[in-house]
Amino acid sequence: MLSSMLTGSKKYVAVGELGKATDTLDATGTVVLEKTFEHVTRMDMEEKLKAFTGDIMQVPPLYSALKKDGQRLSVLLKKGHQVEAKPARCVTVFSLKLQDFQPPHFTLDIECGGGFYVRSLVDDLGKALSSCAHVKELIRTKQGQFTLQDHVLHEDRWTLEDVCGVLQPCSDGGPQLTGDRGRTSPGPHGPTADRGPSQDLPGSPRTDS
């Protein structure tokens, strides 16, 4: 049931930094390139963002959860193996807005479909602006029906009752959540098998796909 709740678009707030590119395309990596960025204006960036909206072709980052021979590319790279970039694939960007522009930093509000990498977007955007860039901060604010504002609980509310409470509005028409551990009440289509917890929820760090 949880997997069906997670189906749908995702939203992110991403802070990028112009002038520096890293091997991981985010702030956890090593700087591999530095270029000037003083020529980039807010108008320039807003104009370039138009090319990254809609159905676009995107190359996934080398440091990613994608696999080769059963192992994540990021793990293979850390072991010193040579890894080739995956081919570009079609991804969908429903909306892309520039929230803030304070060079070298800028903030993007993004709504996208599955398979999209914010890190690749920021890297490509830097190149399109005749500079370079990487993701400095990244927060997922929506995953399917779940939003960071409405469904994330403070630690002092990590109880089964409170978790069922925030999930209930998302399960209308499906199995009804109860306070019984590991159980759900049947929905209109009968019982639903229990599923394990997911880490693919709003607020998860460094999850940009």
Side-chain angles (χ1 to χ4, degrees):
M1 181 180 67
L2 184 56
S3 60
S4 64
M5 292 180 181
L6 294 173
T7 301
S9 67
K10 300 175 289 185
K11 288 185 177 181
Y12 296 93
V13 173
V15 177
E17 181 176 349
L18 289 165
K20 294 181 181 179
T22 71
D23 53 0
T24 60
L25 310 188
D26 65 13
T28 67
T30 301
V31 175
V32 294
L33 178 66
E34 294 190 43
K35 297 185 72 173
T36 59
F37 59 87
E38 289 80 4
H39 62 282
V40 179
T41 67
R42 184 185 187 102
M43 187 178 296
D44 291 335
M45 183 167 289
E46 289 178 334
E47 185 63 29
K48 293 297 183 183
L49 286 175
K50 295 177 182 178
F52 296 98
T53 304
D55 293 333
I56 63 172
M57 299 301 291
Q58 185 185 70
V59 177
L62 286 177
Y63 283 86
S64 69
L66 298 179
K67 294 183 178 181
K68 177 184 178 182
D69 300 328
Q71 292 193 62
R72 291 190 175 194
L73 297 183
S74 56
V75 173
L76 292 173
L77 284 167
K78 290 176 181 178
K79 290 180 178 179
H81 294 281
Q82 292 292 325
V83 175
E84 294 184 2
K86 292 286 186 178
R89 55 188 184 176
C90 184
V91 294
T92 302
V93 181
F94 299 108
S95 67
L96 181 57
K97 298 177 182 178
L98 181 61
Q99 281 190 351
D100 190 41
F101 184 73
Q102 300 290 334
H105 301 121
F106 59 93
T107 303
L108 301 175
D109 186 60
I110 306 157
E111 183 173 7
C112 59
F116 177 84
Y117 281 90
V118 177
R119 286 176 291 147
S120 290
L121 165 70
V122 171
D123 182 64
D124 290 340
L125 178 60
K127 294 173 181 176
L129 291 165
S130 300
S131 183
C132 56
H134 70 276
V135 174
K136 188 175 180 65
E137 299 176 15
L138 179 64
I139 298 176
R140 180 178 295 186
T141 60
K142 175 183 178 291
Q143 172 70 49
Q145 302 177 62
F146 294 98
T147 65
L148 188 60
Q149 179 178 352
D150 297 330
H151 297 98
V152 174
L153 295 172
H154 191 270
E155 290 184 17
D156 60 5
R157 294 185 60 201
W158 286 0
T159 66
L160 185 60
E161 181 178 358
D162 284 330
V163 171
C164 288
V166 296
L167 290 178
Q168 196 62 61
C170 295
S171 64
D172 290 342
Q176 300 301 301
L177 298 167
T178 74
D180 296 331
R181 184 177 299 274
R183 295 175 61 85
T184 61
S185 298
H189 303 294
T192 298
D194 295 334
R195 294 182 182 272
S198 172
Q199 297 179 355
D200 203 22
L201 293 171
S204 302
R206 286 201 64 200
T207 51
D208 63 343
S209 171

